[in-house]
Amino acid sequence: MSIKKTIFKYMAQHNIVSKADLLQLFQMNSSALTRLLEDLITENLIEDCGLGQSTGGRKPILYQVNAQYGYLLGLDISRTYSILGLFNMKLEPIDFVTWTMNQEMTPERLVASLEQAVTHFKDKHRIAPGKLLGIGIGAVGPLERMSGTIINPQYFHAPGWTNVPLRELIEQKLQLAAALDNGANTALLGEYWHDRSNEIKHMLYVHVGIGLRSAMMSGGQLVYGAVDVEDAFGQMIIQTDGTRLHAKSNYGVLEAYASIQAMEKEARTQVKLGRNPLSREVSPEQIDFQLLLQELHEQTPYAVQLFEQAAAYLGVGLANLINILHPEKIIVGGPLSHYSELFFQTAIASAQKNIYASPNYHPVFSRGQLGEKVVATGAATMVYELLNL
């Protein structure tokens, strides 16, 4: 990455900066930095935004990214829905479109819907030609980030989601540069950029939904392994003689106890055995997450116990990660955390109970700030990497 792009991305991420800030951080020659800033202003990428507080000499000139320079697109592809977001250059949200990932939503159908949505954005917001700068994509894995290919994600309702060259398909259809990463990573990017004023550099993100996904950031950079397996967190073994969720899973892993699928399976098993613990008569096929949520809100004892038990297991898994990685902040996102305060608080209490004690280590727990828009928001930040600066 060029120094020009590096500095521009830093300015976008930190909103308002001074030349002194940049000199200290990048250790550049003052005249060279001045020329670089002048180039960015001439190209309308940045603008000055007044004077800062004096520390004894002249008041420093402050700079910020020009929000109107162009637009960023961020796409979230999950098992239940997909979201496309439109953002300005300061990552401020402008518009969103959502699709249900039903049995008809094949890759080709989604790409066609994406093209229609982008055309709608252009018309609605009067986006001039060339002002859409690119699209970032956060998707359920496994995937190959470098080639832009989705490999073989589980639990998609529509056929055709195996070995999909998604980045290539989208680039050809939209005539825009595209970048692909797994949804947990882009969610973490979204929360990191949203929380940029706090200068937190070591963060852990965990998504708790149909499956379990995780991402880690150290020193402000995403941590990648030799392979890109975002759902490996769900395969953490927490009970060596335990059950398993499905035929491809290991025995006793976290996803078999702390995921939506695990909770639905447990409740269905009880009904099949004739021990219906719910407040209404239902068949096993009628039990889903929405029904369990309704039972929880009605304070059905079994539902309360089910959510508390799943959350306690998740807390053990969280503590295992925390004891190894020692993040400053842990974000627990996804439907289970988002829709149930009981689940979130129980999981955090369980994690805190099992964290290896240290008097100087006090990690912060959060549900995050961006909710269901987090993956699309984080995906949009990848467009900064695509800019030709």
Side-chain angles (χ1 to χ4, degrees), residues 27 54 237 256 265 269 315:
Q27 299 180 346
S54 172
I237 296 174
K265 181 180 179 182
T269 298

Side-chain angles (χ1 to χ4, degrees), residues 200-220:
I200 292 176
K201 298 296 185 182
H202 307 282
M203 296 175 66
L204 172 66
Y205 177 87
V206 171
H207 177 96
V208 193
I210 294 175
L212 304 181
R213 297 182 278 162
S214 66
M216 179 64 190
M217 175 178 287
S218 181

Side-chain angles (χ1 to χ4, degrees), residues 279-293:
S279 66
R280 63 205 78 198
E281 290 298 321
V282 294
S283 66
E285 295 73 23
Q286 291 175 301
I287 295 176
D288 60 15
F289 181 55
Q290 293 302 319
L291 177 64
L292 295 178
L293 270 181

